[in-house]
Amino acid sequence: MASVNVVLVHGGFVDGSGWQGVYASLKRDGYGVGVVQHPTLSLEDDAAVTRRVVDGQDGPVVLVGHSYGGAVITEAGNDPNVAALVYIAAFAPDTGESVNTLIQGFPQDGPQPPILPPQDGFLFLDRRSSTMSFAGDVDADLAAFMADSQVGWGVDALGGVISEAAWRNKPSWYLVSTDDRMIPPAAQREMSARAGATVEEVAASHSLYVSQPEAVASVIKKAASAV
């Protein structure tokens, strides 16, 4: 049995169920796996929810975040039980930064995420175009379900500022999705280089954790074997 545990943290617009394929791959290899169901209302609360799951594991943890989940693990990853961080097409903000400040630095001449204006403090994706932008390589029926089962992403979560970036003190890995239309691949490469992460790339959409679970699990297992 693997002695390292893995905790999986989802991003905005979704819940933790999208990790099912990655979860299954890790469990087959004997890893203990926790899946965080955080409400994406505020970075502070989401980090607290994540720490509770981390602290519930029986040993060192590889903490994995997709998309906005990268900001969550950057904040929650300072927990002493966290041995390594894995970013899956994720935001990797530095101390004093937020998801909003990172987005402001993204190129404006590339594909733009189909995010609608805030509704009562929550963001949603335009269902008509979210399947291609968010889940372009996901099975069509599943991508349509993801579009119709969106979880509102609280605008306060995007503004949450990192108090201390965990990647400055913990080893990190980063999987870049080269066909990403939500977080530009160039921005992913810049963030991963700044964090000093071990980087791999895969031709995939932003929802690579759903469409290519084995590629995602492979990077996680490499991080686990290193710690």
Side-chain angles (χ1 to χ4, degrees):
M1 295 291 287
S3 60
V4 178
N5 302 287
V6 178
V7 170
L8 305 169
V9 183
H10 66 80
F13 307 119
V14 298
D15 65 13
S17 62
W19 287 112
Q20 185 173 2
V22 175
Y23 171 91
S25 179
L26 294 169
K27 293 292 285 187
R28 281 196 301 269
D29 282 355
Y31 292 95
V33 186
V35 180
V36 179
Q37 294 283 13
H38 57 101
T40 66
L41 295 177
S42 74
L43 178 65
E44 181 180 15
D45 182 57
D46 294 338
V49 173
T50 299
R51 288 189 195 98
R52 286 197 289 272
V53 177
V54 167
D55 293 341
Q57 308 303 308
D58 57 350
V61 167
V62 174
L63 189 55
V64 183
H66 170 253
S67 194
Y68 163 69
V72 177
I73 71 170
T74 300
E75 182 69 15
N78 292 299
D79 187 294
N81 291 333
V82 174
L85 307 166
V86 180
Y87 294 86
I88 307 299
F91 293 100
D94 200 352
T95 303
E97 292 182 342
S98 67
V99 169
N100 277 339
T101 59
L102 290 175
I103 290 174
Q104 290 168 9
F106 287 176
Q108 298 300 309
D109 56 353
Q112 298 301 308
I115 299 175
L116 298 169
Q119 304 174 34
D120 299 324
F122 292 92
L123 296 176
F124 293 90
L125 295 170
D126 185 334
R127 286 176 172 79
R128 295 167 296 181
S129 51
S130 68
T131 52
M132 286 308 299
S133 296
F134 194 83
D137 60 349
V138 174
D139 173 81
D141 289 341
L142 178 54
F145 174 77
M146 291 170 67
D148 287 333
S149 62
Q150 290 181 57
V151 179
W153 187 8
V155 294
D156 289 345
L158 285 79
V161 173
I162 300 296
S163 62
E164 182 181 358
W167 52 256
R168 290 194 166 274
N169 304 302
K170 306 283 178 80
S172 62
W173 280 254
Y174 197 111
L175 184 58
V176 174
S177 53
T178 61
D179 297 332
D180 203 312
R181 296 189 178 187
M182 295 294 295
I183 302 178
Q188 295 183 39
R189 295 184 183 109
E190 290 174 4
M191 290 185 290
S192 59
R194 182 177 66 169
T198 299
V199 181
E200 294 190 18
E201 299 195 358
V202 62
S205 76
H206 190 60
S207 293
L208 69 169
Y209 71 112
V210 176
S211 64
Q212 300 201 33
E214 291 300 333
V216 172
S218 175
V219 173
I220 296 169
K221 293 170 189 176
K222 290 175 183 177
S225 65
V227 301

